């Protein structure tokens, strides 16, 4: 526990915010669907990290248990997402979201 | 017992209508000739029975409650008093004679049964009008006779001109009816009842000249103006001559048009309490009398002359009412029914003999060919001109006497109209019967006197027109004034309350007035004789022709203008067309195109279009571009965050 | 109990007819059911008079937690409307007998559905139930006009549906709002709704919502633009149902729901809202004069006549309201009669354009006679049904304001103008190529007309029974207003 508290919580906050922002920017800017997915993963993981950090600092295991939940959900979501992208690629040979705009008016 | 009798009087003509109406194709002519006039004859006899069993005080019979809702109580009720009995007798008596005449006149018409059905229906409604005990039931008869007038004017419905005349009559009547209705409503709000007895009893206690009374009487008068063809709602009556002549005789001379006079006479109590209305009535009557007589002088259609004459004579009756001479008005109503019906039926006889010719310029010399028609027509003409001892003399004289007692200028104009009446009626007589025949030769070969079914009613009416005046010989002539006494109880209150009591005129002055008028009338007869018998009619019409031509060398002078003006009936019809009919149609089109289509509907459809346009715009949000969706999603989340943190 | 049967019998008929395949069976069954319904309403009438005009109440708790119960009853006003409906529906069904209709069973099924809706509207004493049946009556009308209609029917019926429906939604909002203002416990029961307390400001909004909804339905100027097109494109039974019955729904709603709750708005606005129907009278009558299509002319004349009725309702006067109720019945009968005549003319001449017709009276005197009688009823000749109502309405309006009465009274002149003008051009004069071959009415065709003419004269000459129903119906409402 001691080694953990030597790094002030602010560091974790800043670090996770930066990761999260990188993830958001990735979602907004990137055109490749897989990269967007990875950015989403990045966001999820940053949140995970923060949760674990806070959980350690406040000696409340609830945060860490929640992290496990999130990881499971993330895994399921990635599986489905990848499956969808594979199918899309099979039909349209592209996973560039600028090209995949048929669900429109 | 008397109950049943009273019910039968109007019920029988109604029955006649139903039978003849349902069997319009199946009932043979002989049978219809029995049913049609037959019902009226029985009604006449029953009316006589009513007369003889009448004992001084008026009685009312309630048959059933027609409309009864809280304070509004309108029973179907009859009021039998001298006034209603007089009208009943005129309607059924003269009506019967006209029905008999029609058997001959309409004998060649395919719509024979239909004709008698409508005529019977008319008698039914007219009887309801005069027998009613309250204004609402009177209104049933009032509108009902308007309907029958429409049906009968447009009897030969293949001709759209006739149909137009019928429609015009009905609509002008209805304009008057609106006034009548509003007057009725005002009566109800003031007196809480429609019944004559209740209204008059309350009215007697009111002070004269109240605004309400003036309003009521004016509104009712509007109704009378429409029904009795006074200015400005008179133009339907000359057009109504499009109907068969017996119709003109019955409806537009003897009965329907007199309904207005009857109504005002009946409401005498109300009118004497509104001197303003009496004055308005007097002025209207005078103007109408004058206008109609002037136009009549220049008309060339035998029936139109009589039509304008009717309008003028109705003006006489209203003039009498306006000075409070109620008996005089009713007396003239009666004598007018006799001689006007006579004149119309005589005209019908002439038209029948000439196979449809109605233009007097093409007539002449019929005296010997149609003797019975001629002599009876002569009687009628003498009567309307007011020559003693015929009925018209006594009735006109009564009116003139009362008018003289009221206002000298009125009297002078009335006398002037009497002179004009004599002139144009004798002009009509002479041009039709005297001199040489101006018609085409084939016409003159076929001229034959009418069958007795037509001439006998003429005779009877002639007798009535001749001797009818003796029913009311004034006291100054040593008579007993029977009609006056008979009607006195009806008008007692009205006469008592009359604000414009005529001054008493000395007997000698009355005599001298009578003589003066008589002499003036005889003068006009002579003038007419000189002009239309002595001179060759060609020159008469030659003159007329010359004056109507635009005489370019001489230049149109004033006299030409006036004559043309009068010959065209002062262009009143055209004025009405410009003022009312055309604007109405234009407004209708305008309303439809501009307001309906462009304005209101635009708004409604516009709402729909707006929604469609809006959705057209919004749908671009669904760009299908995932990146955009993500962007907005994140934006939304940030927004929520900020709101939560900072607000 | 009878009330329940009155409403659910047509529903039963509607569902039953849906399964009938053969055309002849469908027709006869439909006609029989309509007559049975009429018979039941007569039974209700007898019961109504025997038990001293009491409501024939029927109540069943439905969604108690929301305060909605199936409460139906028949008082004087409802009785008049119920009788009108059950009288007219068999006649309307009968007039379809001569023609070929595709999908006959569905057609009659829709008619019965509409009748059920109408019965529900007229007898509902629960606000939410009233609304439900109100919408229920609209849907079949839309389908009848959309499937079996004439030119351009999709667009026109859609406009009709959307317009009327948006009005109804306003009404729904108002009803729900009132629900929350009723004294506790909140109920949609009409007595509760009558007793809801509203501030004057709220009253105006509720009034407006109701007024617009009903004004669109009747229709009242200026919410009328859906009506002429709809009456023209709908098939004849549709126009008859719309003109004869559905328009009365709006007026009925005014009397039953709008006036007792929000009458003070009419008092404070001093005739502002009455100007609308009175203007409509003059406006619609003037437009009617120039119409060439028979059905359009009747449509505009309906706006004029019902404008008078609406004005009569809004002057808050016993005579005018009673006259309005009677006039609702008379107008329903007369307009159905007129549409029947026009239908007969169209089957014979294939046109409803006035300028193409003429001289029909020469070839078809019986038709001309019936037409004339119904026409006279429409223009309110005394001794016909139209007069009694109009007279009382005008009297009531006169008591309220003489100028309004004078303007509203113009209807007697205008209606004579356009009706007689139309009659003259269609029936009188000479025949032309189009009308030369016209045949007169057969006995079968005369039957509905005879029924209508009988009612024209019955209500005109002996209105006593109808007056009593109207008096009773109005009595409660006038009591509330005082």
């Amino acid at each position: 526990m001691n080694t953990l508290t030597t790094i002030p919580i602010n560091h974790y906050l800043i670090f996770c915010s930066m990761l999260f922002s990188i993830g958001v920017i990735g979602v907004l800017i990137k055109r490749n669907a897989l990269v967007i997915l990875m950015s989403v993963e990045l966001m999820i993981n940053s949140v995970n990290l923060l949760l674990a950090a806070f959980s350690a600092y406040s000696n409340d295991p609830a945060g860490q248990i929640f992290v496990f939940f999130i990881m499971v959900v993330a895994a399921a979501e990635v599986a489905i997402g990848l499956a969808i992208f594979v199918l899309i690629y099979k039909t349209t040979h592209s996973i560039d979201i600028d090209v995949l705009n048929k669900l429109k008016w | 017992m008397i109950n049943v009798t009273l019910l039968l009087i109007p019920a029988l003509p109604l029955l006649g209508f139903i039978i003849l109406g349902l069997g319009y194709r199946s009932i043979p002519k002989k049978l219809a000739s029995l049913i049609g006039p037959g019902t009226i004859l029985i009604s006449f006899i029953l009316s006589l029975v009513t007369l003889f069993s009448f004992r001084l005080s008026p009685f009312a019979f309630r048959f059933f409650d027609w409309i009864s809702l809280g304070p509004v109580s309108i029973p179907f009720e009859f009021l039998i008093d001298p006034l209603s009995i007089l009208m009943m007798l005129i309607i059924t008596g003269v009506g019967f004679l006209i029905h008999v005449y029609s058997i001959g006149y309409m004998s060649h018409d395919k719509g024979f049964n239909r004709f008698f059905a409508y005529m019977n229906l008319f008698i039914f409604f007219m009887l309801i009008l005069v027998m009613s005990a309250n204004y609402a039931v009177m209104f049933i008869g009032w509108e009902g006779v308007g309907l029958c007038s429409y049906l009968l004017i447009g009897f030969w419905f293949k001709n759209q001109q006739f149909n137009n005349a019928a429609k015009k009559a009905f609509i002008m009547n209805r304009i008057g009816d609106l006034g009548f209705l509003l007057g009725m409503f005002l009566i109800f709000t003031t007196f809480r009842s429609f019944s004559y007895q209740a209204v008059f009893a309350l009215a007697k206690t009111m002070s004269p000249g109240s605004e309400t009374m003036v309003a009521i009487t004016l509104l009712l008068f509007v109704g009378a103006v429409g029904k009795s063809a006074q200015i400005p709602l008179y133009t339907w009556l000359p057009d109504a001559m499009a109907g068969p002549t017996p119709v003109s005789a019955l409806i537009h001379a003897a009965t329907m048009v007199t309904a207005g006079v009857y109504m005002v006479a009946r409401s005498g109590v109300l009118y004497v309490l509104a001197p303003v209305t009496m004055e308005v009535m007097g002025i209207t009557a005078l103007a109408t009398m004058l206008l109609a007589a002037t136009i009549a002088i220049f008309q060339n259609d035998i029936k139109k002359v009589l039509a304008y004459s009717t309008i003028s004579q109705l003006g006489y009756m209203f003039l009498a009412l306006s000075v409070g001479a109620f008996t005089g008005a009713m007396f003239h109503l009666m004598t007018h029914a006799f001689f006007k019906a006579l004149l119309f039926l005589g005209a019908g006889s002439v038209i029948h003999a000439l196979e449809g010719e109605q233009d007097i310029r093409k007539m002449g010399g019929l005296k010997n060919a149609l003797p019975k028609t001629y002599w009876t027509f002569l009687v009628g003409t003498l009567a309307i001109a007011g020559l003693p001892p015929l009925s018209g003399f006594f009735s006109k004289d009564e009116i003139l006497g009362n008018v003289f007692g009221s206002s000298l200028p009125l009297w002078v104009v009335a006398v002037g109209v009497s002179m004009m009446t004599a002139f144009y009626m004798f002009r009509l007589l002479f041009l039709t019967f005297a001199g040489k025949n101006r018609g085409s030769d084939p016409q003159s070969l076929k001229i034959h006197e009418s069958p007795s079914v037509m001439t006998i009613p003429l005779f009877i009416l002639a007798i009535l027109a001749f001797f009818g005046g003796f029913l009311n010989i004034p006291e100054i002539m040593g008579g007993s004034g029977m009609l006056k006494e008979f009607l006195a109880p009806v008008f007692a209150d009205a006469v008592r309350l009359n604000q414009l009591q005529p001054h008493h005129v000395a007997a000698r002055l009355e005599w001298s007035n009578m003589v003066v008028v008589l002499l003036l009338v005889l003068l006009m007869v002579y003038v007419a004789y000189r002009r239309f018998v002595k001179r060759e009619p060609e020159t008469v019409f030659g003159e007329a022709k010359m004056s109507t031509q635009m005489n370019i060398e001489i230049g149109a002078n004033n006299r030409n203008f006036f004559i043309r003006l009068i010959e065209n009936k002062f262009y009143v019809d055209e004025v009405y067309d410009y003022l009312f009919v055309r604007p109405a149609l234009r407004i209708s089109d305008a309303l439809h195109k501009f307001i309906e289509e462009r304005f209101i509907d635009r708004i409604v459809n516009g709402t729909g279009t707006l929604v469609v346009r809006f959705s057209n715009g919004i749908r671009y949000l669904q760009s299908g571009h995932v990146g955009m969706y993500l962007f907005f999603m994140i934006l939304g989340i940030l927004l929520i965050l900020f709101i939560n943190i900072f607000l | 109990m009878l009330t329940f049967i009155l409403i659910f019998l047509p529903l039963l008929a509607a569902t039953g007819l849906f399964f009938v395949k053969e055309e002849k069976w469908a027709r006869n069954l439909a006609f029989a059911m309509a007559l049975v319904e009429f018979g039941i309403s007569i039974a209700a009438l007898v019961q109504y008079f025997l038990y001293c005009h009491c409501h024939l109440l029927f109540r069943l708790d439905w969604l108690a937690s929301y305060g909605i119960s199936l409460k139906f009853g028949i008082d004087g006003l409802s009785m008049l409307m119920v009788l009108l409906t059950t009288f007219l529906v068999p006649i309307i069904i009968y007039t379809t007998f001569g023609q070929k209709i595709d999908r006959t069973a569905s057609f009659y099924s829709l008619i019965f559905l509409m009748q059920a809706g109408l019965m529900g509207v007229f007898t509902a004493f629960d606000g939410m139930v009233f609304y439900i049946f109100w919408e229920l009556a609209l849907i079949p009308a839309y389908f009848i006009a959309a499937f079996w209609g004439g030119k351009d029917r999709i667009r026109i019926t859609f406009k009709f549906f959307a317009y009327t429906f948006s009005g109804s939604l306003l009404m729904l909002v108002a009803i729900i709002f009132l629900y929350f203002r009723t004294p506790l416990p909140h109920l949609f029961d009409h007595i509760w709704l009558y007793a809801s307390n509203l501030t004057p400001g709220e009253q105006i909004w509720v009034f407006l919502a109701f007024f617009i909804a009903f004004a669109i339905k009747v229709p009242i100027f200026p919410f009328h633009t859906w009506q002429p097109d709809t009456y023209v494109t709908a098939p004849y039974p549709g126009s008859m149902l719309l003109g004869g019955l559905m328009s009365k729904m709006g007026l009925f709603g005014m009397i039953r729901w709008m006036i007792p709750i929000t009458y003070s708005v009419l008092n404070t606005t001093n005739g502002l809202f009455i100007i609308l129907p009175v203007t409509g009278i003059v406006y619609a009558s003037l437009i009617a004069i120039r119409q060439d299509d028979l059905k359009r002319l009747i449509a505009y004349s309906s706006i004029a006549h019902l404008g008078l009725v609406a004005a009569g309702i809004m002057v808050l006067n016993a005579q005018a309201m009673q006259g309005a109720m009677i006039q609702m019945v008379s107008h329903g009968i007369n307009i159905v009669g007129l549409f029947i005549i026009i239908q007969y003319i169209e089957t014979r001449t294939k046109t409803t354009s006035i300028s193409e017709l003429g001289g029909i009276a020469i070839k078809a005197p019986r038709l001309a006679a019936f037409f004339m009688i119904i026409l006279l009823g429409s223009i309110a000749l005394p001794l016909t049904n139209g007069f009694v109502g109009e007279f009382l309405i005008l009297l009531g309006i006169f008591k309220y304001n003489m100028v309004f009465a004078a303007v509203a009274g113009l209807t007697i002149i205008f209606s004579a103008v356009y009706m007689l003008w139309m009659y003259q051009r269609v029936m009188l004069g000479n025949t032309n190529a189009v009308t030369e071959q016209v045949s007169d009415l057969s006995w079968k065709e005369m039957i509905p007309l005879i029924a209508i003419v009988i009612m024209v004269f019955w209500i005109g000459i002996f209105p006593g029974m109808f007056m009593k129903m109207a008096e009773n119906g109005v009595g409660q409402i006038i009591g509330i207003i005082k």
Side-chain angles (χ1 to χ4, degrees), chain A residues 10-103:
Chain A
N10 282 346
H11 287 38
Y12 279 103
L13 269 170
I14 296 170
F15 176 59
C16 288
S17 316
M18 289 200 310
L19 272 184
F20 191 82
S21 319
I22 294 171
V24 170
I25 293 170
V27 166
L28 284 176
I29 290 180
K30 285 297 181 178
R31 290 203 339 237
N32 192 318
L34 284 170
V35 175
I36 293 179
L37 208 55
M38 286 194 282
S39 309
V40 171
E41 279 304 302
L42 189 55
M43 287 198 285
I44 291 176
N45 285 315
S46 73
V47 170
N48 277 351
L49 181 57
L50 197 58
L51 264 175
F54 268 103
S55 161
Y57 269 85
S58 45
N59 281 322
D60 183 3
Q64 294 172 38
I65 295 173
F66 203 51
V67 170
F68 278 112
F69 277 110
I70 297 178
M71 283 203 283
V72 168
V73 171
E77 163 222 326
V78 165
I80 297 174
L82 282 173
I84 293 177
F85 288 138
V86 166
L87 282 172
I88 290 178
Y89 185 75
K90 278 206 182 144
T91 48
T92 60
H93 298 285
S94 164
I95 47 173
D96 181 339
I97 59 170
D98 281 340
V99 174
L100 300 171
N101 60 358
K102 295 297 177 243
L103 267 178

Side-chain angles (χ1 to χ4, degrees), chain B residues 105-147:
Chain B
Y105 192 83
M106 303 295 291
S107 60
H108 300 305
D109 198 300
K110 279 203 313 187
F112 190 81
N113 293 4
R114 187 164 57 100
F115 183 80
F116 279 105
Y118 289 161
M119 293 284 269
N120 269 9
L121 186 66
F122 170 80
I123 300 277
F124 165 71
F125 277 123
M126 193 70 207
L127 283 170
I128 298 277
L129 202 161
V130 300
M131 290 168 82
S132 152
N134 59 53
Y135 281 101
V137 176
M138 184 208 252
F139 192 68
I140 300 179
W142 190 270
E143 287 239 338
V145 297
L147 168 70

Side-chain angles (χ1 to χ4, degrees), chain C residues 131-153:
Chain C
Y131 178 77
I132 293 175
F133 278 98
W134 177 278
E135 296 299 356
L136 183 61
L138 174 60
I139 298 170
Y142 169 76
F143 281 114
I144 291 178
F147 277 119
W148 288 271
K151 264 193 339 175
D152 207 8
R153 57 185 180 270

Side-chain angles (χ1 to χ4, degrees), chain B residues 28-319:
Chain B
K29 218 176 256 190
K30 285 248 162 64
L31 185 58
S33 318
L34 270 178
I35 297 179
T39 54
I40 314 297
L41 178 63
I42 303 180
S43 292
F44 177 65
I45 296 174
L46 290 175
S47 305
L48 280 174
V49 167
T50 317
L51 171 66
F52 291 127
S53 54
F54 178 68
R55 295 272 168 270
L56 287 183
S57 55
F59 37 81
F61 281 106
R62 169 183 292 232
F63 287 104
F64 68 94
D65 277 333
W66 182 36
I67 296 179
S68 168
L69 273 182
V72 181
S73 167
I74 304 177
F76 195 79
E77 196 175 23
F78 286 165
L79 177 70
I80 306 300
D81 68 357
L83 183 59
S84 53
I85 293 182
L86 175 67
M87 292 299 294
M88 280 155 65
L89 287 168
I90 296 176
I91 296 169
T92 50
V94 176
F96 171 65
L97 292 171
I98 297 179
H99 272 72
V100 171
Y101 177 95
S102 307
I103 301 178
Y105 192 83
M106 303 295 291
S107 60
H108 300 305
D109 198 300
K110 279 203 313 187
F112 190 81
N113 293 4
R114 187 164 57 100
F115 183 80
F116 279 105
Y118 289 161
M119 293 284 269
N120 269 9
L121 186 66
F122 170 80
I123 300 277
F124 165 71
F125 277 123
M126 193 70 207
L127 283 170
I128 298 277
L129 202 161
V130 300
M131 290 168 82
S132 152
N134 59 53
Y135 281 101
V137 176
M138 184 208 252
F139 192 68
I140 300 179
W142 190 270
E143 287 239 338
V145 297
L147 168 70
C148 296
S149 171
Y150 169 78
L151 292 172
L152 284 164
I153 296 174
F155 183 72
W156 291 310
F157 59 80
K158 286 198 197 162
N159 184 322
Q160 289 287 24
Q161 298 272 48
F162 295 172
N163 294 332
N164 284 337
K167 183 173 51 122
K168 181 172 175 175
F170 192 80
I171 291 175
M172 272 196 158
N173 261 225
R174 270 240 158 156
I175 297 177
D177 292 349
L178 179 58
F180 192 101
L181 259 183
L182 292 173
M184 259 207 286
F185 291 152
L186 196 52
I187 288 181
F188 184 75
T189 43
T190 319
F191 298 105
R192 302 253 152 268
S193 169
F194 288 107
S195 150
Y196 298 149
Q197 290 179 315
V199 170
F200 298 154
L202 263 174
K204 277 189 286 192
T205 63
M206 284 177 66
S207 53
S210 69
E211 272 183 13
T212 322
M213 200 55 88
V214 172
I216 292 178
T217 46
L218 271 178
L219 286 169
L220 289 177
F221 183 58
V222 170
V225 163
K227 198 58 104 194
S228 302
Q230 300 295 291
I231 291 177
L233 297 174
Y234 70 92
T235 54
W236 64 269
L237 188 51
D239 285 3
M241 298 298 110
T245 310
V247 171
S248 310
L250 181 62
I251 299 185
H252 305 127
T255 46
M256 182 178 106
V257 292
T258 56
V261 179
Y262 166 78
M263 186 266 287
V264 173
R266 172 63 80 193
S267 318
V269 173
L270 300 178
Y271 277 88
V272 297
L273 289 173
V276 176
T277 316
M278 300 271 267
E279 276 186 45
V280 170
M281 195 159 55
I283 297 174
T284 313
L286 210 63
T288 310
M289 275 163 67
L290 206 51
L291 178 72
T294 319
I295 299 180
I297 297 178
F298 289 90
Q299 285 301 304
N300 293 316
D301 179 313
I302 192 175
K303 286 175 71 170
K304 289 247 164 83
V305 176
L306 294 175
Y308 282 103
S309 165
T310 306
I311 299 177
S312 190
Q313 297 299 307
L314 287 166
Y316 251 106
M317 296 179 219
F318 278 107
L319 187 65

